[in-house]
Every structure is written in structure tokens, then in C-alpha cells.
Amino acid sequence: RPGHGDYSFFKKFKIYDYRGGGRISGRETISRVAASAVVSELIKPIEIKVYPVQIGEICVSEIDHNFSNELSWPDKITFPHLIAYLDAIKTEGNSVGGIVECSIVKIPAGLGDPVFEKLDANLAKAVISIGSVKGIEFGDGFKAAAAKGSENNDQISNSGFITNHSGGILGGISTGQEIKFRFVVKPTPSIKLKQSTINSKNEKVELKLEGRFDTCIIPRILPIAKAMVTLVLADAVSYQKLVSGDELNLYDYREALDKIDEDILIALKRRLKISELIGAFKKSNQLPVNDLNREQELLENLNKKADQLGLKRSSVQQIWKLLISDSKEIQ
Ligand SMILES: Cc1cc2nc3c(=O)[nH]c(=O)nc-3n(C[C@H](O)[C@H](O)[C@H](O)COP(=O)(O)O)c2cc1C
């Protein structure tokens, strides 16, 4: 299907999942929504609203969150035009995308980090990880390109920021203002119109898809985007709680330890996988499994790192001797 992930998925995995594409189908997002429901308590009292502001050529004229409808379109005035427009696109057998806005309020200042866990970077990754999302802008976003510094800077008064061009995040850290971002959703790839493509034998074919398709994916994307934002904020809130040391109890410390243990286990699994690959490489190149020089070098490097980190050399050596022995076993 042109526009879908089938081509690149097939190039990577050499299979085509007939169930709508498998992992490249929007179906995978159900787990994200379920996960967010589990952690939603953690982010209280933060409130997240996600709503469309443009679908195809139709733009919202005035946002009204009290106007409820099946498309979650927040504008009574343009709603009839939108319905007529989508009907026409559907009759044509075509699809459209649009722009979705997210507003996060009652968020404290101080969530996020200046380099590796920037709040805007984490939100961007989470939202763009949803199939068919192609871009994101925070605050004034791309409009900032034409603004002057004097116009773009949010002046600060005794009672807080006077404007919010930044979208509530500065230096990767929440300012405490409303966080606002918009993201663009491309038109649904599956359409009923004839399209040119190839089959798995690289033969040119004409594709005419049948069945039920979403004219626009946006109504389905809204709860997923809210779920992804909830997950990112839950991480940021939990992390901030840990580093600030405020209101921590034994349960919080144990939870943090459990998370670190899980990370260690995942790293061990990855280490073993690489050892297996090294074993296969050694076998096909007739190299011995034992390489005492390399082992020596590894243990010496670990000693140096242990010293830098203030860890006990003897403990580190003990752990790695075990790991090396496990690796040799599978090689
Ligand atoms: C909830 C959801 C539902 C989707 N439904 C469809 C669909 O019915 N038909 C379709 O062609 N694409 C659908 N998509 C989009 C594809 O999954 C996506 O475009 C495809 O995986 C290619 O990825 P990319 O657009 O991010 O490059 C859906 C995506 C999501 C998140």
C-alpha cells in the first residue's frame, strides 16, 4: 500500500503481516492507551486536552470545548462544513489528514531536564511515535522563524510570564505555564482510488483497495496522543519526585530500585544476545572462544570505571566474572 509502512517493513523483516500490517497497524496503539490508564493517577492534578484544529482544508474558527460531537471537533460554526467536506472526500474514495492541538494545564514548573530528558523532546518522540504523525511544533512553533527576539521572548513580571510564545517549556523544563503543542497527521494511506505499486515479486501492479477505511484518522488519534502525553508526564513527575527528594517514602524508593533492576535485566539480555553473535562470528572465522587478553583488558577497564564511579572493585569484578562465564557458555 502506497503511503503505508508495508514497503519498508517488508524490506526489513522479509514478511508481510496480512493482519493490516501487524506492528505498523494502528492496532498496536491499544496497549499505549491501556498503559496510560494505569499511570493516570500519577499526574494529578495535571489536565490534558487533545482536540483537532484542522481537518483537511477546514479550520476551526473558534474553539468551544463544550461542543460535543463524534469527531471531537471543538467548533459549532464550522462543524456542518466539516461533515459535508468529509462526506465528499469519502464519496471520492479519498482521505485527509489535519492538525491536532494539545493543551496541558495545572502543570508544575520544573518537569523535564536540560539535556537528555528534555520535556519537549520526550513529548515530540512520544507523539511522533504514533503512526501517521509527521510533525510537531511547540508554542508559536514554525511561526517563530519570522518573529523578532523582542516579539518571541516571553517577558516576566512579579506575577509570572506575560505571554506564552514558548508553549510552556524553556530549556527542556516546564515553566508552569500551559504547555501547548500542535502536531500534523497525514491523510490515511489506505484509500479506495486506484494506485500504482508493486507486489512482493517486484512486479508492477495496480492496487484497488476494498473494505471500510477511515476518511481521516484524527478522531482515533486523539485518545492515543492523550495517552502518550500522560505516559511522558508520568515519567517526568516520577523522576522529578526522585531527584527533588520531596515527599518520598519507602514505597517510592523500592519502586525506583525495581525500575533500575528491570533496566539491568534488559541490559543483561542484550549483552547475552551480543555474546551469541560474537560466538557465531568466532565459529565462522575459526577463532577460539577463550581470549584471555581481551578478558584481562575488559576487567582492567571495569576497575578504572568502578574507581571513577566510587564502586567497589571486588564487587564489580565478581559480577563481570560471572557474566563472562555465562557468555563463554553460550559461545
Ligand atoms: C489509530 C490509528 C489508526 C490507523 N488506521 C489506519 C487505517 O485504517 N488505514 C491506513 O492506511 N492507515 C492507518 N493508520 C496509519 C498507519 O498506521 C501509518 O500511516 C503507517 O503505519 C505508516 O506509518 P507513518 O505514516 O507513520 O510513516 C492508522 C494509524 C493509527 C495511529
Side-chain angles (χ1 to χ4, degrees):
R1 288 171 293 175
H4 214 294
D6 305 326
Y7 180 88
S8 42
F9 189 91
F10 187 76
K11 285 284 171 195
K12 182 177 174 80
F13 297 110
K14 322 281 184 260
I15 54 159
Y16 170 69
D17 192 320
Y18 62 88
R19 294 158 298 189
R23 295 295 287 160
I24 45 160
S25 157
R27 292 163 180 85
E28 62 81 19
T29 53
I30 192 164
S31 51
R32 306 172 183 225
V33 180
S36 82
V38 175
V39 300
S40 59
E41 278 290 312
L42 289 179
I43 65 163
K44 278 184 175 164
I46 300 174
E47 287 171 14
I48 307 163
K49 273 202 183 84
V50 185
Y51 44 90
V53 288
Q54 183 176 341
I55 289 186
E57 291 164 25
I58 313 286
C59 298
V60 161
S61 61
E62 205 177 307
I63 292 176
D64 172 8
H65 289 304
N66 293 323
F67 178 53
S68 102
N69 57 85
E70 67 275 25
L71 299 177
S72 304
W73 182 253
D75 179 21
K76 207 182 278 173
I77 301 159
T78 49
F79 189 62
H81 305 302
L82 177 67
I83 295 294
Y85 172 76
L86 286 176
D87 277 348
I89 299 285
K90 188 174 180 179
T91 310
E92 193 186 308
N94 223 334
S95 67
V96 286
I99 297 177
V100 176
E101 190 165 85
C102 176
S103 151
I104 306 169
V105 293
K106 298 191 188 163
I107 181 160
L111 296 184
D113 251 320
V115 183
F116 295 112
E117 301 294 336
K118 293 184 97 159
L119 192 58
D120 40 3
N122 285 348
L123 286 168
K125 180 168 183 185
V127 171
I128 294 188
S129 78
I130 305 169
S132 78
V133 177
K134 291 291 133 191
I136 189 163
E137 59 174 10
F138 289 84
D140 285 2
F142 286 86
K143 267 201 264 160
K148 298 193 178 109
S150 54
E151 295 158 342
N152 189 246
N153 295 344
D154 296 311
Q155 311 284 311
I156 311 170
S157 76
N158 290 346
S159 48
F161 288 94
I162 296 163
T163 52
N164 187 6
H165 298 289
S166 74
I169 303 175
L170 286 170
I173 302 170
S174 64
T175 60
Q177 292 171 286
E178 175 186 27
I179 292 185
K180 210 166 217 183
F181 65 81
R182 279 166 299 282
F183 59 90
V184 58
V185 177
K186 75 183 194 183
T188 318
S190 302
I191 51 174
K192 289 197 173 176
L193 298 172
K194 266 194 204 150
Q195 300 182 85
S196 297
T197 185
I198 50 168
N199 62 20
S200 57
K201 294 180 205 120
N202 209 29
E203 294 157 346
K204 209 174 157 221
V205 289
E206 209 157 64
L207 181 71
K208 177 101 178 65
L209 291 167
E210 297 296 340
R212 197 208 66 85
F213 301 115
D214 285 325
T215 309
C216 179
I217 306 170
I218 285 183
R220 296 194 189 283
I221 294 250
L222 303 176
I224 306 163
K226 186 170 179 184
M228 294 311 287
V229 171
T230 303
L231 290 169
V232 170
L233 293 179
D235 271 349
V237 166
S238 313
Y239 181 73
Q240 187 56 27
K241 210 172 159 192
L242 265 185
V243 293
S244 68
D246 294 345
E247 309 157 32
L248 283 181
N249 55 36
L250 191 59
Y251 174 82
D252 294 316
Y253 288 125
R254 286 194 172 142
E255 199 184 337
L257 268 191
D258 289 349
K259 175 76 184 76
I260 292 172
D261 287 346
E262 193 186 327
D263 288 348
I264 294 174
L265 284 173
I266 293 168
L268 285 180
K269 173 80 191 160
R270 286 172 57 202
R271 195 181 193 285
L272 267 187
K273 184 81 207 151
I274 293 171
S275 290
E276 255 176 59
L277 294 172
I278 294 176
F281 182 88
K282 282 180 176 168
K283 206 174 202 171
S284 63
N285 290 283
Q286 277 129 33
L287 294 167
V289 170
N290 271 321
D291 182 345
L292 292 181
N293 282 340
R294 158 75 187 149
E295 223 172 279
Q296 194 63 27
E297 193 188 326
L298 174 68
L299 292 172
E300 275 168 21
N301 274 335
L302 285 167
N303 270 341
K304 278 187 210 148
K305 282 185 186 146
D307 291 347
Q308 281 167 5
L309 294 167
L311 295 168
K312 250 167 77 180
R313 277 188 175 200
S314 57
S315 307
V316 170
Q317 294 286 312
Q318 237 175 315
I319 296 169
W320 260 267
K321 277 185 182 150
L322 259 178
L323 293 180
I324 292 169
S325 136
D326 279 359
S327 295
K328 282 187 193 168
E329 213 170 280
I330 59 160
Q331 288 185 6

